[in-house]
Amino acid sequence: MDTIKKRILSIDILRGIIMALMALDHTRDYFHIDAVTQDPLNLETTTPILFFTRWITHFCAPAFVFLSGISIYLQSLRKTKEELAKFLLTRGLWLVLMELTIVGFGWSFNPFFNFFFLQVIWAIGWSMVILSALILCPYWVAVVTGIGITLLHNLTDYYTYPDPEAHTAFNFLLMTDFSLYKVGTVQVMAGYAILPWTGIMLLGYSIGKWFNTQTVTPQLRQRRLVSAGLLLITFFVLLRINNSYGDPKHWSEQKDTLFTLLSILDVTKYPPSLAYACMTLGPALLALAALENVHIRGIYSIMNTFGRVPFFYYMLHIYVIHLLCVALYFIQGFTADQLFTLPQNFGFRPNENFGFNLGYTYVVWIGVLVLCYFPCRWYDRYKSTHKKWWLSYI
């Protein structure tokens, strides 16, 4: 029982850490004064601290999706294939619905629902739907599919799509060029192509076997995690040395050694390239190994709380950040009338002359985590003491 407890802790704590970092990126989106007008990864205009503020959050989405895959495998140990397939199908469709309603509104505060920016919850939802079918196949099918998608999807970097309908399909499934599509009066933009993220979820499902305490000891699991993590990091280095396949964004020599290193680290998230997957999942595996024997206290206790209620936290942190942004909007002298005259990607977030420098943005981020912690702790306790069916969906 103690081994099982530690195994679950390592997953939840890592998930909590990456979700805390996720809040940093989203706080920057709403509060950093240059967030809308400047790309933090643009080596011509960025600073090292701004670059790494954005870069460190690259670990969030792939690690989150990867850990979801591990958790799905662990569910397969206590559910039949048919039960798990049904749950994944309904949970996946539920997440897609949430992306189009509550989650999307939290990002935009747009009551008209005439623009949908499809993000990570969208991709996770459809990945679960796909996995609900693969779960009925032999285990090796999911393993081969996950490895195949992750290794090979960058072949699309070398192909153009002259047929508009084919381009649309591939833009939702395999690539991300942020094209804007109109469906009547509604506009849709896909930020997260589905299949590359499905591949990452399947990789997590594939190593879920390492967390079966009936067949794998903690020591063996740690060795496997460390070996796999180092292998992925080495593969990332080799891919970037080759500077050809694995990422459409090639690095180049910059004005000094530090910025050349930044160019090497600046890999493609949309969609997650092979190099990006190796760069992020390698350290995530090492982190899982390092967290194997930690105890719940201090910062680990806080991260564990976040990690145990991931979807609740995700929805909560978006609304907390955006509501704080609304308060700042009026504090800085903007008016309700200007909502309809100023250029704004998000409601109450003017594109220019709004927000703080990076230092104060970090302060707001810490405040967001504090505000999120107590509701998450309450919900975690409620979820632990109640057995209602809908709790597994939130």
Side-chain angles (χ1 to χ4, degrees):
M1 184 66 179
D2 187 51
T3 302
I4 295 175
K5 183 179 178 182
K6 289 182 179 180
R7 183 258 302 171
I8 295 174
L9 282 179
S10 66
I11 295 173
D12 285 339
I13 290 173
L14 179 58
R15 183 158 43 214
I17 292 170
I18 63 175
M19 292 196 310
L21 290 174
M22 182 192 306
L24 171 61
D25 192 39
H26 299 159
T27 302
R28 182 190 59 79
D29 285 332
Y30 284 94
F31 286 92
H32 185 225
I33 194 166
D34 295 324
V36 178
T37 58
Q38 177 181 329
D39 179 3
L41 301 178
N42 184 346
L43 299 183
E44 298 295 325
T45 58
T46 193
T47 63
I49 188 171
L50 179 58
F51 179 95
F52 281 111
T53 298
R54 171 56 176 146
W55 180 84
I56 192 64
T57 64
H58 272 347
F59 290 83
C60 299
F64 189 87
V65 174
F66 185 79
L67 292 175
S68 296
I70 296 177
S71 297
I72 289 169
Y73 181 85
L74 294 177
Q75 290 183 62
S76 74
L77 300 179
R78 57 180 184 270
K79 294 181 179 181
T80 66
K81 285 189 174 185
E82 291 73 18
E83 289 172 337
L84 184 55
K86 180 181 178 181
F87 172 73
L88 291 175
L89 176 63
T90 55
R91 178 79 191 283
L93 293 176
W94 164 256
L95 290 177
V96 170
L97 177 62
M98 290 297 97
E99 179 71 76
L100 298 175
T101 54
I102 296 175
V103 173
F105 179 75
W107 280 102
S108 67
F109 279 4
N110 176 6
F112 305 107
F113 289 93
N114 53 13
F115 175 71
F116 295 95
F117 184 42
L118 308 177
Q119 300 191 75
V120 67
I121 300 300
W122 163 270
I124 292 175
W126 284 116
S127 295
M128 286 185 174
V129 170
I130 294 169
L131 188 49
S132 72
L134 292 176
I135 211 81
L136 299 174
C137 302
Y139 167 78
W140 66 265
V141 174
V143 176
V144 171
T145 303
I147 294 173
I149 292 174
T150 306
L151 282 177
L152 301 177
H153 80 83
N154 278 112
L155 290 173
T156 60
D157 299 340
Y158 305 95
Y159 182 73
T160 57
Y161 307 88
D163 182 355
E165 291 185 1
H167 181 276
T168 300
F170 275 87
N171 197 39
F172 278 83
L173 292 175
L174 277 170
M175 64 180 189
T176 306
D177 64 7
F178 297 101
S179 294
L180 192 62
Y181 299 97
K182 287 190 175 182
V183 183
T185 59
V186 175
Q187 296 180 315
V188 180
M189 181 182 292
Y192 280 69
I194 295 169
L195 290 181
W197 294 103
T198 302
I200 290 176
M201 181 178 287
L202 290 172
L203 292 181
Y205 177 81
S206 299
I207 75 155
K209 277 194 170 184
W210 299 355
F211 290 84
N212 184 350
T213 56
Q214 302 301 313
T215 58
V216 180
T217 65
Q219 295 76 18
L220 178 58
R221 178 166 56 251
Q222 279 186 306
R223 289 197 297 270
R224 288 178 175 178
L225 290 170
V226 170
S227 297
L230 293 176
L231 179 63
L232 288 179
I233 293 171
T234 302
F235 194 26
F236 165 75
V237 172
L238 293 175
L239 286 170
R240 295 308 269 168
I241 289 174
N242 179 264
N243 207 22
S244 177
Y245 183 75
D247 199 285
K249 190 184 297 184
H250 297 169
W251 65 272
S252 60
E253 188 173 349
Q254 302 294 312
K255 60 185 179 181
D256 57 35
T257 302
L258 174 58
F259 273 77
T260 299
L261 174 61
L262 300 187
S263 181
I264 294 171
L265 294 175
D266 184 17
V267 290
T268 304
K269 178 181 180 180
Y270 306 104
S273 68
L274 174 59
Y276 174 92
C278 292
M279 181 188 75
T280 54
L281 296 182
L285 290 170
L286 296 181
L288 275 175
L291 292 170
E292 182 73 37
N293 298 312
V294 300
H295 302 284
I296 299 185
R297 57 171 176 253
I299 190 66
Y300 290 129
S301 176
I302 296 172
M303 296 302 110
N304 180 64
T305 297
F306 289 153
R308 286 172 59 88
V309 290
F311 185 59
F312 179 85
Y313 168 92
Y314 185 88
M315 292 193 297
L316 176 66
H317 94 284
I318 293 172
Y319 278 88
V320 167
I321 291 171
H322 208 161
L323 288 171
L324 290 174
C325 178
V326 172
L328 182 64
Y329 179 87
F330 290 110
I331 289 172
Q332 291 198 337
F334 294 94
T335 66
D337 292 340
Q338 290 175 290
L339 284 172
F340 305 100
T341 59
L342 291 174
Q344 298 180 48
N345 295 345
F346 307 115
F348 300 93
R349 202 299 182 199
N351 290 357
E352 296 181 339
N353 302 316
F354 179 85
F356 304 120
N357 63 32
L358 194 58
Y360 283 114
T361 301
Y362 270 85
V363 173
V364 176
W365 168 55
I366 297 300
V368 168
L369 295 182
V370 172
L371 290 173
C372 288
Y373 173 70
F374 295 101
C376 286
R377 186 178 67 176
W378 167 82
Y379 182 66
D380 179 32
R381 291 175 177 174
Y382 181 86
K383 193 173 182 179
S384 299
T385 55
H386 294 75
K387 301 301 180 184
K388 303 180 185 298
W389 66 268
W390 53 266
L391 289 173
S392 61
Y393 287 81
I394 299 176

